[in-house]
PDB file of all heavy atoms in Angstrom:
ATOM      1  N   SER A 257       6.694  16.859   5.706  1.00  0.00           N
ATOM      2  CA  SER A 257       7.328  18.030   5.113  1.00  0.00           C
ATOM      3  C   SER A 257       7.883  18.948   6.191  1.00  0.00           C
ATOM      4  O   SER A 257       9.002  19.459   6.101  1.00  0.00           O
ATOM      5  CB  SER A 257       6.302  18.802   4.275  1.00  0.00           C
ATOM      6  OG  SER A 257       5.780  17.999   3.255  1.00  0.00           O
ATOM      7  N   ILE A 258       7.074  19.159   7.239  1.00  0.00           N
ATOM      8  CA  ILE A 258       7.512  20.016   8.343  1.00  0.00           C
ATOM      9  C   ILE A 258       8.718  19.400   9.044  1.00  0.00           C
ATOM     10  O   ILE A 258       9.698  20.088   9.357  1.00  0.00           O
ATOM     11  CB  ILE A 258       6.352  20.237   9.334  1.00  0.00           C
ATOM     12  CG1 ILE A 258       5.200  20.973   8.635  1.00  0.00           C
ATOM     13  CG2 ILE A 258       6.823  21.030  10.549  1.00  0.00           C
ATOM     14  CD1 ILE A 258       3.943  21.084   9.470  1.00  0.00           C
ATOM     15  N   ALA A 259       8.641  18.087   9.284  1.00  0.00           N
ATOM     16  CA  ALA A 259       9.766  17.413   9.941  1.00  0.00           C
ATOM     17  C   ALA A 259      11.033  17.543   9.119  1.00  0.00           C
ATOM     18  O   ALA A 259      12.121  17.820   9.642  1.00  0.00           O
ATOM     19  CB  ALA A 259       9.433  15.935  10.165  1.00  0.00           C
ATOM     20  N   THR A 260      10.900  17.382   7.814  1.00  0.00           N
ATOM     21  CA  THR A 260      12.065  17.471   6.926  1.00  0.00           C
ATOM     22  C   THR A 260      12.699  18.847   6.994  1.00  0.00           C
ATOM     23  O   THR A 260      13.922  18.992   6.964  1.00  0.00           O
ATOM     24  CB  THR A 260      11.645  17.151   5.477  1.00  0.00           C
ATOM     25  OG1 THR A 260      11.046  15.859   5.438  1.00  0.00           O
ATOM     26  CG2 THR A 260      12.841  17.166   4.545  1.00  0.00           C
ATOM     27  N   ALA A 261      11.860  19.853   7.095  1.00  0.00           N
ATOM     28  CA  ALA A 261      12.366  21.225   7.137  1.00  0.00           C
ATOM     29  C   ALA A 261      13.021  21.559   8.481  1.00  0.00           C
ATOM     30  O   ALA A 261      13.816  22.490   8.564  1.00  0.00           O
ATOM     31  CB  ALA A 261      11.232  22.204   6.860  1.00  0.00           C
ATOM     32  N   GLN A 262      12.688  20.773   9.544  1.00  0.00           N
ATOM     33  CA  GLN A 262      13.137  21.155  10.880  1.00  0.00           C
ATOM     34  C   GLN A 262      14.212  20.247  11.483  1.00  0.00           C
ATOM     35  O   GLN A 262      14.874  20.638  12.430  1.00  0.00           O
ATOM     36  CB  GLN A 262      11.918  21.217  11.821  1.00  0.00           C
ATOM     37  CG  GLN A 262      10.957  22.357  11.468  1.00  0.00           C
ATOM     38  CD  GLN A 262       9.687  22.327  12.295  1.00  0.00           C
ATOM     39  OE1 GLN A 262       9.307  21.292  12.818  1.00  0.00           O
ATOM     40  NE2 GLN A 262       9.025  23.454  12.400  1.00  0.00           N
ATOM     41  N   TRP A 263      14.379  19.037  10.978  1.00  0.00           N
ATOM     42  CA  TRP A 263      15.442  18.187  11.502  1.00  0.00           C
ATOM     43  C   TRP A 263      16.802  18.791  11.148  1.00  0.00           C
ATOM     44  O   TRP A 263      16.978  19.357  10.078  1.00  0.00           O
ATOM     45  CB  TRP A 263      15.334  16.786  10.919  1.00  0.00           C
ATOM     46  CG  TRP A 263      14.318  15.923  11.622  1.00  0.00           C
ATOM     47  CD1 TRP A 263      13.293  16.338  12.409  1.00  0.00           C
ATOM     48  CD2 TRP A 263      14.227  14.500  11.584  1.00  0.00           C
ATOM     49  NE1 TRP A 263      12.569  15.268  12.867  1.00  0.00           N
ATOM     50  CE2 TRP A 263      13.120  14.123  12.375  1.00  0.00           C
ATOM     51  CE3 TRP A 263      14.966  13.503  10.956  1.00  0.00           C
ATOM     52  CZ2 TRP A 263      12.741  12.797  12.556  1.00  0.00           C
ATOM     53  CZ3 TRP A 263      14.592  12.174  11.128  1.00  0.00           C
ATOM     54  CH2 TRP A 263      13.503  11.829  11.929  1.00  0.00           C
ATOM     55  N   LYS A 264      17.736  18.613  12.027  1.00  0.00           N
ATOM     56  CA  LYS A 264      19.056  19.239  11.833  1.00  0.00           C
ATOM     57  C   LYS A 264      20.062  18.313  11.162  1.00  0.00           C
ATOM     58  O   LYS A 264      20.725  18.689  10.197  1.00  0.00           O
ATOM     59  CB  LYS A 264      19.617  19.698  13.184  1.00  0.00           C
ATOM     60  CG  LYS A 264      19.019  21.003  13.689  1.00  0.00           C
ATOM     61  CD  LYS A 264      19.773  21.472  14.933  1.00  0.00           C
ATOM     62  CE  LYS A 264      19.299  22.862  15.359  1.00  0.00           C
ATOM     63  NZ  LYS A 264      20.044  23.349  16.546  1.00  0.00           N
ATOM     64  N   ASP A 265      20.221  17.114  11.713  1.00  0.00           N
ATOM     65  CA  ASP A 265      21.306  16.238  11.265  1.00  0.00           C
ATOM     66  C   ASP A 265      20.854  15.124  10.326  1.00  0.00           C
ATOM     67  O   ASP A 265      21.679  14.514   9.650  1.00  0.00           O
ATOM     68  CB  ASP A 265      21.991  15.600  12.489  1.00  0.00           C
ATOM     69  CG  ASP A 265      22.569  16.652  13.417  1.00  0.00           C
ATOM     70  OD1 ASP A 265      23.126  17.645  12.897  1.00  0.00           O
ATOM     71  OD2 ASP A 265      22.459  16.491  14.647  1.00  0.00           O
ATOM     72  N   LYS A 266      19.568  14.836  10.292  1.00  0.00           N
ATOM     73  CA  LYS A 266      19.057  13.770   9.440  1.00  0.00           C
ATOM     74  C   LYS A 266      18.041  14.348   8.458  1.00  0.00           C
ATOM     75  O   LYS A 266      17.447  15.387   8.709  1.00  0.00           O
ATOM     76  CB  LYS A 266      18.383  12.676  10.280  1.00  0.00           C
ATOM     77  CG  LYS A 266      19.312  11.887  11.190  1.00  0.00           C
ATOM     78  CD  LYS A 266      18.528  10.797  11.919  1.00  0.00           C
ATOM     79  CE  LYS A 266      19.437   9.907  12.755  1.00  0.00           C
ATOM     80  NZ  LYS A 266      20.023  10.617  13.904  1.00  0.00           N
ATOM     81  N   ASP A 267      17.875  13.649   7.352  1.00  0.00           N
ATOM     82  CA  ASP A 267      16.856  14.004   6.374  1.00  0.00           C
ATOM     83  C   ASP A 267      15.611  13.195   6.721  1.00  0.00           C
ATOM     84  O   ASP A 267      15.556  11.984   6.491  1.00  0.00           O
ATOM     85  CB  ASP A 267      17.345  13.674   4.963  1.00  0.00           C
ATOM     86  CG  ASP A 267      16.360  14.103   3.882  1.00  0.00           C
ATOM     87  OD1 ASP A 267      15.162  13.807   4.033  1.00  0.00           O
ATOM     88  OD2 ASP A 267      16.791  14.739   2.897  1.00  0.00           O
ATOM     89  N   ALA A 268      14.600  13.847   7.295  1.00  0.00           N
ATOM     90  CA  ALA A 268      13.421  13.130   7.794  1.00  0.00           C
ATOM     91  C   ALA A 268      12.724  12.354   6.696  1.00  0.00           C
ATOM     92  O   ALA A 268      12.322  11.197   6.888  1.00  0.00           O
ATOM     93  CB  ALA A 268      12.444  14.120   8.445  1.00  0.00           C
ATOM     94  N   ARG A 269      12.583  12.976   5.555  1.00  0.00           N
ATOM     95  CA  ARG A 269      11.882  12.302   4.453  1.00  0.00           C
ATOM     96  C   ARG A 269      12.630  11.039   4.021  1.00  0.00           C
ATOM     97  O   ARG A 269      12.039   9.970   3.853  1.00  0.00           O
ATOM     98  CB  ARG A 269      11.747  13.264   3.285  1.00  0.00           C
ATOM     99  CG  ARG A 269      11.151  12.656   2.027  1.00  0.00           C
ATOM    100  CD  ARG A 269      10.827  13.759   1.054  1.00  0.00           C
ATOM    101  NE  ARG A 269      10.468  13.247  -0.249  1.00  0.00           N
ATOM    102  CZ  ARG A 269       9.813  13.949  -1.163  1.00  0.00           C
ATOM    103  NH1 ARG A 269       9.448  15.182  -0.882  1.00  0.00           N
ATOM    104  NH2 ARG A 269       9.523  13.443  -2.340  1.00  0.00           N
ATOM    105  N   GLU A 270      13.923  11.167   3.881  1.00  0.00           N
ATOM    106  CA  GLU A 270      14.735  10.029   3.462  1.00  0.00           C
ATOM    107  C   GLU A 270      14.730   8.932   4.514  1.00  0.00           C
ATOM    108  O   GLU A 270      14.565   7.747   4.197  1.00  0.00           O
ATOM    109  CB  GLU A 270      16.167  10.507   3.202  1.00  0.00           C
ATOM    110  CG  GLU A 270      17.025   9.561   2.412  1.00  0.00           C
ATOM    111  CD  GLU A 270      18.349  10.205   2.017  1.00  0.00           C
ATOM    112  OE1 GLU A 270      19.302  10.098   2.807  1.00  0.00           O
ATOM    113  OE2 GLU A 270      18.408  10.824   0.937  1.00  0.00           O
ATOM    114  N   GLU A 271      14.884   9.325   5.771  1.00  0.00           N
ATOM    115  CA  GLU A 271      14.913   8.350   6.865  1.00  0.00           C
ATOM    116  C   GLU A 271      13.597   7.585   6.950  1.00  0.00           C
ATOM    117  O   GLU A 271      13.579   6.347   7.072  1.00  0.00           O
ATOM    118  CB  GLU A 271      15.181   9.067   8.193  1.00  0.00           C
ATOM    119  CG  GLU A 271      16.586   9.632   8.344  1.00  0.00           C
ATOM    120  CD  GLU A 271      17.611   8.566   8.696  1.00  0.00           C
ATOM    121  OE1 GLU A 271      17.211   7.484   9.168  1.00  0.00           O
ATOM    122  OE2 GLU A 271      18.818   8.809   8.491  1.00  0.00           O
TER     123      GLU A 271
END
Side-chain angles (χ1 to χ4, degrees):
S257 301
I258 297 173
T260 303
Q262 293 174 337
W263 279 19
K264 281 188 173 181
D265 300 320
K266 294 182 175 68
D267 184 313
R269 175 169 170 162
E270 196 171 89
E271 290 282 341

